[in-house]
Amino acid sequence: MAKNKNEGGEMSFLDHLEELRWLLVRSCIAIIIGASVAFAFSRFIFDNIIFAPKKSDFVTYQFFCDLANKYDLDKSFCVTEIPFEIQSRTMDGQFTTDIWISVTAGLILVFPYILYLIWKFISPALYDKEKKYAVSFILSTSLLFFLGVLFGYYLIMPLSINFLANYTISDVVKNDIDLASYLSLIKTTVLSCGIVFELPIIIYFLAKLGLVTAQFLRKYRRYAYVIILILAAVVTPPDVVSQMIVTIPLAILFELSIFIAARINKNKEKELANG
């Protein structure tokens, strides 16, 4: 947050630090409150959310099984069990896991509020016409983040768990998975997908700063699609339908990013033309 474009003033470096300090303090307090709520319902979170993809009756497995039966596709998701056990190998493993999962859940719960704080932090550096987009920014960014979290939880994560649980190098090796390893996969997948779904917002700001153009994104479109297809091929069964279910949302995000960058580039050209 540099210059206040509405008042013509400029905040000092210490003022910036003070504003940033309060942003971090309020964010931490919000996360702690969210984590406390999550901790109160931790048993429900673990039994019905975190460990749900390990159960053969999880909605994603049922969906792909029904799809496979209907269209005579690969039957790898029609399983009776996911072949691995989860263990806690340290004395405080379950307690510390409960704490950190609560913190992660708290972060997800209060994400819109943190976005609001970030917007308040940068708003003095914006014009009045830009400030009016505050609600749109918070709603669209929150919506994309939650869609990404749901996409990661209901698609990428169960597909990954099923693939990794059934991948074997020898019948001699049994899968007794450490609790921390299992939860690391969940947190990484869910939060990563939440961030990936922010791609249109990230491209918007990069395009506004002139760091990314629609031409650049179009130039490397083929490479982006190759990466998306590889990801889909790795985590899904060997049939086209399930791969497309994963590929299409990611492709739409990329194309939306190109559209946003093109609009911003066009607006910049109009501003330059009007002098």
Side-chain angles (χ1 to χ4, degrees):
M1 183 177 66
K3 187 176 179 181
N4 191 317
K5 295 183 178 180
N6 300 297
E7 300 175 0
E10 188 173 350
M11 295 180 66
S12 68
F13 179 70
L14 291 179
D15 289 334
H16 282 293
L17 288 181
E18 181 67 13
E19 289 292 323
L20 180 60
R21 183 175 74 88
W22 278 109
L23 184 153
L24 295 175
V25 169
R26 292 188 180 100
S27 297
C28 289
I29 292 174
I31 293 173
I32 290 172
I33 294 173
S36 299
V37 174
F39 187 79
F41 296 94
S42 63
R43 191 60 179 263
F44 174 84
I45 291 173
F46 277 98
D47 288 343
N48 297 282
I49 298 177
I50 292 177
F51 294 133
K54 189 189 177 303
K55 302 173 184 176
S56 59
D57 60 351
F58 187 60
V59 60
T60 303
Y61 305 137
Q62 294 297 317
F63 170 77
F64 278 102
C65 184
D66 293 341
L67 198 67
N69 290 328
K70 184 175 181 179
Y71 295 102
D72 194 25
L73 303 174
D74 184 84
K75 302 296 191 300
S76 60
F77 274 89
C78 297
V79 295
T80 57
E81 64 175 349
I82 308 296
F84 70 89
E85 297 296 327
I86 299 176
Q87 302 183 40
S88 178
R89 299 177 182 273
T90 58
M91 183 64 71
D92 63 342
Q94 296 195 53
F95 176 73
T96 55
T97 293
D98 203 357
I99 297 297
W100 284 112
I101 288 299
S102 296
V103 171
T104 303
L107 172 62
I108 294 174
L109 286 173
V110 303
F111 184 75
Y113 177 69
I114 293 176
L115 285 177
Y116 168 73
L117 294 177
I118 293 173
W119 183 268
K120 282 189 65 177
F121 178 71
I122 66 174
S123 61
L126 303 176
Y127 292 108
D128 287 334
K129 66 179 182 180
E130 294 172 324
K131 288 184 179 182
K132 68 181 181 180
Y133 296 114
V135 175
S136 298
F137 167 77
I138 294 171
L139 289 178
S140 59
T141 306
S142 299
L143 177 62
L144 287 171
F145 178 76
F146 289 129
L147 285 175
V149 168
L150 292 174
F151 179 77
Y153 178 75
Y154 282 107
L155 273 178
I156 302 298
M157 192 174 71
L159 295 175
S160 299
I161 288 175
N162 184 69
F163 169 75
L164 294 173
N166 287 283
Y167 186 89
T168 59
I169 56 175
S170 172
D171 293 335
V172 175
V173 183
K174 290 185 178 181
N175 283 331
D176 291 327
I177 308 301
D178 187 70
L179 177 62
S181 176
Y182 178 83
L183 294 176
S184 176
L185 174 65
I186 291 177
K187 289 189 293 184
T188 301
T189 301
V190 169
L191 293 179
S192 296
C193 287
I195 294 172
V196 167
F197 268 60
E198 299 292 349
L199 182 62
I201 305 297
I202 295 171
I203 292 298
Y204 171 83
F205 284 106
L206 292 178
K208 289 282 285 186
L209 294 172
L211 299 176
V212 169
T213 64
Q215 291 78 10
F216 174 84
L217 294 175
R218 292 190 185 104
K219 179 181 178 181
Y220 291 98
R221 176 189 273 146
R222 67 182 67 180
Y223 301 106
Y225 274 98
V226 169
I227 294 173
I228 291 172
L229 288 170
I230 290 174
L231 172 65
V234 168
V235 301
T236 58
D239 63 74
V240 176
V241 175
S242 57
Q243 290 173 11
M244 287 299 101
I245 290 174
V246 173
T247 300
I248 289 174
L250 298 177
I252 290 174
L253 281 175
F254 187 77
E255 293 299 327
L256 179 59
S257 300
I258 294 177
F259 173 77
I260 290 172
R263 287 292 300 272
I264 292 175
N265 296 154
K266 186 176 180 180
N267 291 338
K268 283 187 174 183
E269 290 174 0
K270 285 183 178 179
E271 291 176 2
L272 290 175
N274 293 332

